[in-house]
Amino acid sequence: MRKIICLMLLGLISVEGWAGEQTWCVFDPLGAKGDISRRLQDVRLTALQNRVDLKFQFFKNEKDAIQAFDQKKCSGLAASNFNTYRYNHFIGSTGGIGLISNNRVARMFLQLLNNVHVEKRMIGQDYEAIGMIPIGTAYMIMNTQQINKVSQLKNKRIGILEDNPPQQALVQSVAAKAAYVDFSDAVDLFKQKKIDILAAPAYGVLPYNIKKEFGESTQVVNFPVAYFAISIVIRPKDYPAGFGHQIRNWFVKNNNVLAAQAIQWENHLPAYYWADISNFEKQGYEAMVAKIRNRYVDLGYYDAYFVELIKRLRCIDDPQYLECRK
């Protein structure tokens, strides 16, 4: 059926208006059969309507996808919001600590992608951010004894990304030890007990038998660390005028489906893996995270407009959040 639809769409597009093929480098740990890749096939249908025939080159290692994009082997890149930060600070800030707190807030953000004030911040001279696939909240996964106090993080080895100063500052603030990882080796290092705590979305661990492969004591702390998403950036000069806007419209129209998928992944993680911490500890941690985050807003690392926007959305979702109280 999908092939038939594609052929029908191609028949409606004149040869004169055809913009040709464009390739996106796509990071998906599960390859061409992964959920991220399947979602991009839906985006491809909208691209066809806008005179672009998208081809995808899949990478299980994110560094390889980014390298290929930088070498201009692809005109588009679908990779983590943490690492697309270098191309667009606005969309990269979606992975900021203490910002997008859950899939509901992520969904509200998706609804605004074609807002004029948001859209202009996604368009740069060399790169343009055109969409975001929610993967879910990153939680602390522990293979050490249960931790229910921030003070118990002292001297624990926490896996963080090397080029992420706010994550480094957060680890230092709880007197833990930073262990640098990337998405290609993080889970293996965790399984080998070379790190004690791994921040990851449920999507990242669902393929594993957690108790068997990570250890019987493994638990997931039910408290958000950051938000993980796949961001899409392109070189706009390679595409027809208005292409980015049309793709962002697709994400706006499909915000519910995209967020629902992320929620479904989190719901698939069995209840006995989750560990709760007290409201008192949550409030103390939130205050610490907000302080560090605001420091990096002042330094220009996080996009200030994005931070204020997410604060407003978060207050709609959770009026009791500390920055929402008056």
Side-chain angles (χ1 to χ4, degrees), residues 12-41:
L12 295 173
I13 300 172
S14 68
V15 175
E16 299 171 346
W18 185 246
E21 292 184 2
Q22 293 295 336
T23 301
W24 287 4
C25 293
V26 178
F27 165 56
D28 188 335
L30 302 182
K33 296 182 180 180
D35 290 292
I36 296 168
S37 302
R38 283 198 292 269
R39 187 63 66 197
L40 288 175
Q41 294 296 339

Side-chain angles (χ1 to χ4, degrees), residues 62-133:
E62 185 178 37
K63 287 184 177 179
D64 293 340
I66 292 171
Q67 183 180 51
F69 178 66
D70 287 342
Q71 293 173 348
K72 298 190 175 180
K73 295 179 180 179
C74 311
S75 61
L77 172 69
S80 72
N81 48 351
F82 302 106
N83 286 318
T84 49
Y85 171 89
R86 68 191 75 181
Y87 308 109
N88 183 276
H89 283 194
F90 181 83
I91 200 70
S93 295
T94 58
I97 59 173
L99 288 170
I100 295 180
S101 53
N102 56 46
N103 294 306
R104 298 184 302 274
V105 175
R107 179 191 174 193
M108 287 190 281
F109 174 66
L110 285 175
Q111 292 171 344
L112 298 173
L113 288 190
N114 60 3
N115 176 279
V116 62
H117 300 294
V118 170
E119 202 164 36
K120 69 180 183 181
R121 290 171 169 82
M122 300 179 74
I123 302 173
Q125 182 175 353
D126 298 319
Y127 304 105
E128 178 177 355
I130 62 172
M132 182 183 93
I133 301 174

Side-chain angles (χ1 to χ4, degrees), residues 240-295:
F243 175 80
H245 176 75
Q246 294 303 322
I247 299 300
R248 283 188 290 272
N249 278 342
W250 182 89
F251 280 92
V252 172
K253 292 176 182 176
N254 289 276
N255 69 85
N256 187 44
V257 173
L258 293 166
Q261 178 65 82
I263 292 170
Q264 185 177 0
W265 287 326
E266 291 184 7
N267 289 342
H268 278 170
L269 195 64
Y272 53 78
Y273 288 124
W274 294 99
D276 287 313
I277 59 176
S278 70
N279 286 331
F280 176 80
E281 288 293 325
K282 286 182 181 179
Q283 290 171 8
Y285 180 79
E286 285 176 341
M288 179 176 60
V289 170
K291 183 178 179 180
I292 295 171
R293 182 202 64 217
N294 291 338
R295 185 200 314 166

